[in-house]
Amino acid sequence: MTGIAPLFSAGEDESLVSREANSLTSTGRWALTGDRKGLERKFHFKTFKAAWDFMNSVATECKVQKHHPEWTNIYNKTQIRWTTHNPSGLSSKDIHMAKFCDEAAAKFGELPSSDATSPGSKEASPLEAGDCSIIPGLPAAPLLSDERSRFRVKMETKN
């Protein structure tokens, strides 16, 4: 974790959680969050379905562990942040779920990262949706509000 110590959740075995966090961050895939209270990572899959299946797998484990992430998904990319909110800080639950995510990502065919920067760095590129937002029948250029209304009415009258 490059010399920056995490802020631990109260009641945690700080030595153990610190060793486990160092193990995760030493690979360069996980990074300590900017507020030092969690871990974050980007995942990249071949398809949206693979990314979604990965997220469903994580969500199922979240229910078992009674612990949820902060996450985003854009097309075939997912960014996950594990932090404990009460008591605030990095906890063994965050470590467990980060490890689970690594295992699940391998199971669902995670692609090698084309972005070697850590998720928390300023150089990290934003997630991009690719061409998934092109919908047949919709113009590629942004619609003006009156064009959207006409298009919506036109589509509703077809059904």
Side-chain angles (χ1 to χ4, degrees):
M1 288 180 286
T2 63
I4 300 172
L7 298 176
F8 299 101
S9 185
E12 288 293 326
D13 178 341
E14 293 183 15
S15 177
L16 177 63
V17 173
S18 182
R19 275 195 313 275
E20 296 289 332
N22 279 325
S23 174
L24 287 164
T25 59
S26 68
T27 65
R29 295 183 303 178
W30 287 96
L32 190 61
T33 59
D35 65 4
R36 301 177 14 224
K37 295 180 180 182
L39 296 170
E40 61 187 352
R41 181 176 189 272
K42 289 181 183 178
F43 296 87
H44 182 197
F45 299 91
K46 186 173 182 180
T47 64
F48 171 77
K49 182 179 182 332
W52 199 261
D53 289 344
F54 162 74
M55 291 175 69
N56 277 332
S57 175
V58 172
T60 299
E61 183 67 10
C62 288
K63 186 173 181 181
V64 170
Q65 298 299 323
K66 295 181 170 59
H67 195 53
H68 65 276
E70 296 172 9
W71 60 5
T72 59
N73 166 255
I74 299 176
Y75 184 55
N76 62 341
K77 296 176 182 150
T78 301
Q79 184 163 341
I80 299 180
R81 174 179 294 175
W82 289 107
T83 187
T84 299
H85 298 282
N86 190 15
S88 181
L90 184 64
S91 74
S92 55
K93 283 188 173 188
D94 303 318
I95 300 296
H96 171 80
M97 290 306 300
K99 289 179 179 180
F100 180 88
C101 287
D102 286 344
E103 294 166 8
K107 178 180 173 185
F108 291 101
E110 179 186 15
L111 298 175
S113 177
S114 59
D115 177 4
T117 13
S118 64
S121 73
K122 290 182 180 170
E123 296 85 24
S125 62
L127 299 177
E128 296 175 2
D131 64 356
C132 70
S133 60
I134 298 173
I135 302 170
L138 280 178
L143 297 172
L144 301 173
S145 62
D146 62 328
E147 290 176 311
R148 269 183 276 183
S149 298
R150 283 195 305 262
F151 182 78
R152 188 172 31 255
V153 169
K154 194 181 214 181
M155 291 303 291
E156 289 171 357
T157 58
K158 285 183 178 182
N159 296 331

